[in-house]
Structure formats: C-alpha cells, structure tokens
Amino acid sequence: MTRTLHQGRPELCAPLPRHLAAMMRPELPSLAKEIIEEIRHQIPEYGRPIRGPYVQALQIGVERALAHFVDQIDDPDAPRERHEDTYRRLGRFEAQEGRTLDNLQAAFRIGAQVAWRRVMRVGPQRDLSSVVMAQLADALFAYIDELASLALTGYLEALPAEELEEHRRRLLRMLLRRPRASRRAIDELAELAEWEVPEEVTLVAVPAGSRVVRTALDSDVLADLTDGEPRLLVPGRMTEERLRMLAAACPEGRAVSGVTVPPSGAADSLRWARQGLALVDAGILDDGPVTRCEDHLITLWLLNDPALLDQIARRALAGLAELNEGQRERLLETLRIWLTTRGTAAEIAEELHVHPQTVRYRMRKLEGLLGERLTEPESRFALEVVLRSMWLRRRAGVPDGLGEPDGPAARPDGAATAADERDGPGPDDRPGAVPRPRRPGAAERVQEARAEARKEPRKAAKRPAVSAPRGGTGRAADGAAALGVRARDGASAKAGMRTR
C-alpha cells in the first residue's frame, strides 16, 4: 500500500472507518503522556525541567498531533490551518534556537512507534480486522511524514530571520565586551543586524532557565537567550510601555532592568541588573513582573559588597558585639531611628512604642559603648550606612555580621544582671528577624524612672537643660547636645536624653 506527500498533506488509498475515532478518543490522554515520557527519556534536550520552553513545545505538539489525527479520521474535511501552523511554528522554533531538526524528527519517530504499540494492543481487543489495522498503520506513518514536512517548511522559512538574529546576538555581546569594542566595529555589525545604535540603552537580566516569549519583544530589542544567563537590551529608557512589553515577554516574572546608560556603559547596566536579580532572589527587593534598578539605587550601592560591609559594621559598632542578640537588636533599632529622624526621646519612643525613659536609657548605653562615634561626622555617616544596610539584609533573614558574642546568657552560673533582665531578649529576638518594637514591662518602666529621677535634680541644679536639636555635628560636647544629652566637663559618656 503506497502513500505520497502532496503539499504537506498525505493521500491515502482508502478512507478509515469513522467509528475508529470514537474508539480512539478515550486513549488519547494516556497515550500523549506515554509518548512524552518516552521522548523525554530518549532525547536529553526534552528531559529538561517541565516548565522549560523545549518541554512545553513538546507537550503542545504531541497533544495537538493526536487530537488532529483522530479528527481527520472522524471528518477528513476538518479544518487544517491551525494544525499546519502549529508544526511550522515548531520548525521555526528550532531554527530560532540555533538547533537542527534532528531532535524534532527523532521525537516524531518515537511518537509514531509508541502510538503503533498502543494500536497493536488495543486493536485486537476491539476486534479490528487485519485490513483496518493495515490501513491505520499506513495512515499513522503518512501523518508523521506530514508533520515532518510541515516542520521542515517552518525551519527553512526561519533561516533568513535567524541569520539576522545571530547578527543581533553578536552585536549585543560586542556592546557588553570589556574592553569596549571600537565605534567603527559596532557600527558595522549594527548595519548587518539592521539595528540603529541609540543614544541610551537599558539592559535587562532574566533568571537562567526562565521562559522568554521572543515574539512578545519589540522588534528593536536585542536578545541573547542562548547564554546561561539570558539578557536583553532595550533601546532608550524603561517606559511604562516597555515595562508592559517585558511583563508579557517574561510570563514567569522576575525580570530586572538595569540603569539607563549610554551604549558604552551597557556592561555596567547589565551588572546592576544581575545584582538586582540576586537581591530579588534573596527577598531584599520586592518581587514583581519587572523590577527596576532605577528605583533601588541606594540599596544596590549599600549591598554591593556584603563582606566589606561586615567589616565596616564590626568597626563602626565595636562594643555592641559583646551584648546578647536581644540587647543588640533593640539598641541598634533605637540608634537607627534616632539617626534617621533626629527626634527627641518622646518622638523616638512613639516610633518604637516604648516609654521615653526607655529611649533615654538606651541612648545613654549607646553613648557609653560608641562614644564619639555618635558625634564625629565620618563615624556617624558610617553608622547610618551600616544600620540601613543591616535593616535591608534582615528583611531577607541575613544575620547582622557582628558575630555571636559570649553575652550574659552564657554566664557559667546561668544568672543575669539587672540590666539584662531589663533589656534582655524579647519574644522577637530570633536570628535574622526584623526586630519588632515591644512595650516595656511595668518593672522596667519603674526602674528606669527611678534612675532618671535620681539624676535629673542633680543635673538641673548644675546647669540649664539642653533641648535636642534636629541634627548637628562637631566635637564630643557639641555632639552630646545634638543627641539631646547633657554633657559633664565636655565628656559625653555620662549623659542622658531628655524630651522636649
């Protein structure tokens, strides 16, 4: 029995009985699953994670092929346009990915073999005659020839476009090269790629293995999706229209756009985009369809070198490492709010949901531990940088980098001092947690109030009170005033903050 291919459509010598369609439809779901499993087992490229574009194309191809084959048995005049377009698309996909048709053709053969084994098992159970079985075999393998022919057509159609895409991939790699390529070399390759070099570009980083819908990208976007770290180049700034385009092209989300720069800075823009992607993965930056580095420049700068930041933290906060975890976190949170608000004790207490006396106690303790680092401009700037970065990292559960001290909790006798009881670990004192302010207990408020009451009359008798200004820098005595603290004999170690 013979068959021929005519414009991608097989001509069979005899039509199949239409009742075969009703018999075959219940078998399709399990048959599709069996074919896909066998193809993924035999062809490594199809054995990738189930969400990869290669496997998605496989699933769509197998399911539509089986459904259309049965539809053709039921109605030989059923529409074929969608079916033919599907397999031409598969061929174009292989060309666009820079592959040959070998894997796709091997998948067709495996699918035909698995399908025929099912026919051989089910046919005798349904009392199919040998004549019908022969007709079915002829139709099945003619159909596979048709699919291969359609895929080949799509593959050949895509070759000229793929050549242009290869020029564009090379151009993108050239723009990212260090040291930078000459302007003449860039212009020559841009001409081959039919791409006009813009005044500004924005690079986009995409997670490895993520699906990118190439057809959803604007025609002027350069893309290199064959690399282990996919990247895109968007001419100009990241407008709302461009953001919507990226969201459609990256349906799995988590694309990160770098900073808009001249073409000579493309490598830097991509570096920042990849750093932003790492921060999204760590939970420090909020996830979304597209994250813009332009919105997080300070965070990118602060967290650019975590190891160096830990070194700065150990120096800027020397002394606090000797406290236990709970004490350290409460003092650091109080210091962070004071540095960012320059508020009075009452204002800071309201922010922390504690009593003003608690804030005064903590600031006296901080002053004793940090000394002139609270008032010397460069040291105070370092404190602000460190505390801001530590706050960002705690959002992702990253420790503060100060180490685990041998604090009061590790005393041999297990006892704690009165200060430990007053300012010891609370319910939120767990490693990596963002400390939530707690209200002081009654015993803590009474103890701190008594201590403050004993000091205030003596201070008031010696000199007038100094109100806390909203900032200021200078030497130790001037810095004490900036804290809202009264200094004694120019020293800031024995001072306390007061409320306006």
Side-chain angles (χ1 to χ4, degrees), residues 171-185:
L171 176 59
L172 176 52
R173 293 166 189 164
M174 180 178 288
L175 290 169
L176 296 172
R177 184 185 303 166
R178 291 285 182 86
R180 184 171 176 256
S182 68
R183 182 58 192 255
R184 179 179 177 180

Side-chain angles (χ1 to χ4, degrees), residues 7 46 69 75 80 125 241 257 266 271 303 365 449 497:
Q7 295 180 345
Y46 288 115
F69 180 71
D75 180 8
R80 306 175 54 84
Q125 297 174 1
E241 184 178 356
S257 66
R271 175 169 55 86
L303 302 181
K365 194 166 185 177
M497 177 178 282

Side-chain angles (χ1 to χ4, degrees), residues 86-399:
T86 295
Y87 289 92
R88 279 195 293 265
R89 281 175 179 267
L90 284 176
R92 285 196 293 269
F93 177 76
E94 295 298 303
Q96 290 165 359
E97 292 295 312
R99 294 187 289 264
T100 68
L101 280 178
D102 292 347
N103 287 334
L104 188 59
Q105 291 172 344
F108 287 151
R109 290 193 296 271
I110 293 170
Q113 292 167 1
V114 174
W116 181 244
R117 287 201 298 266
R118 179 68 65 92
V119 169
M120 293 293 290
R121 186 171 69 249
V122 174
Q125 297 174 1
R126 302 300 180 90
D127 296 325
L128 294 182
S129 67
S130 59
V131 173
V132 172
M133 292 282 284
Q135 289 177 320
L136 189 56
D138 191 68
L140 176 61
F141 289 101
Y143 185 68
I144 295 302
D145 284 348
E146 177 189 4
L147 299 185
S149 176
L150 290 169
L152 177 60
T153 300
Y155 186 86
L156 295 175
E157 290 173 350
L159 284 181
E162 177 54 26
E163 183 178 357
L164 182 64
E165 281 299 311
E166 179 58 28
H167 287 316
R168 293 192 167 196
R169 282 193 289 270
R170 288 175 53 208
L171 176 59
L172 176 52
R173 293 166 189 164
M174 180 178 288
L175 290 169
L176 296 172
R177 184 185 303 166
R178 291 285 182 86
R180 184 171 176 256
S182 68
R183 182 58 192 255
R184 179 179 177 180
I186 292 173
D187 288 341
E188 289 177 353
L189 188 51
E191 184 176 356
L192 288 174
E194 300 180 12
W195 192 76
E196 183 177 352
V197 180
E199 294 184 359
E200 293 183 315
V201 297
T202 306
L203 275 291
V204 179
V206 182
S210 293
R211 178 189 173 206
V212 178
V213 182
R214 185 66 182 87
T215 55
L217 295 173
D218 293 340
S219 59
D220 61 346
V221 174
L222 301 183
D224 186 359
L225 308 179
T226 62
D227 190 75
E229 296 178 308
R231 57 270 184 105
L232 310 171
L233 184 151
V234 178
R237 296 189 173 273
M238 195 57 61
T239 62
E240 291 298 323
E241 184 178 356
R242 294 286 202 184
L243 288 172
R244 288 192 292 271
M245 177 268 295
L246 285 177
C250 304
E252 297 175 4
R254 294 178 53 234
V256 178
S257 66
V259 179
T260 301
V261 295
S264 59
D268 287 327
S269 181
L270 180 60
R271 175 169 55 86
W272 294 323
R274 285 177 174 163
Q275 183 188 355
L277 186 60
L279 294 179
V280 170
D281 289 340
I284 294 174
L285 296 184
D286 293 332
D287 199 355
V290 183
T291 301
R292 289 167 24 104
C293 285
E294 297 271 6
D295 299 333
H296 305 282
L297 294 180
I298 297 298
T299 300
L300 290 171
W301 171 65
L302 286 174
L303 302 181
N304 183 53
D305 191 337
L308 181 59
L309 189 61
D310 287 343
Q311 294 298 324
I312 297 173
R314 290 189 179 99
R315 288 161 176 76
L317 300 173
L320 274 72
E322 300 304 319
L323 304 176
N324 65 42
E325 183 81 11
Q327 291 174 318
R328 187 167 68 242
E329 288 192 355
R330 282 191 290 278
L331 288 177
L332 290 178
E333 181 68 2
T334 302
L335 178 58
R336 184 183 70 84
I337 292 176
W338 176 76
L339 286 169
T340 55
T341 66
R342 297 297 195 270
T344 63
E347 292 167 341
I348 296 173
E350 183 177 356
E351 182 79 15
L352 290 171
H353 304 292
V354 299
H355 194 277
Q357 298 286 40
T358 302
V359 173
R360 295 187 183 98
Y361 166 78
R362 292 180 184 175
M363 290 307 300
R364 286 195 299 274
K365 194 166 185 177
L366 283 166
E367 196 174 24
L369 291 167
L370 300 177
E372 292 190 357
R373 278 173 282 173
L374 289 175
T375 55
E376 199 277 321
E378 185 173 342
S379 297
R380 190 164 62 184
F381 174 71
L383 287 172
E384 291 192 57
V385 169
V386 165
L387 292 175
R388 171 66 179 175
S389 61
M390 288 170 62
W391 179 78
L392 289 168
R393 294 166 73 184
R394 282 175 183 158
R395 294 180 60 185
V398 179

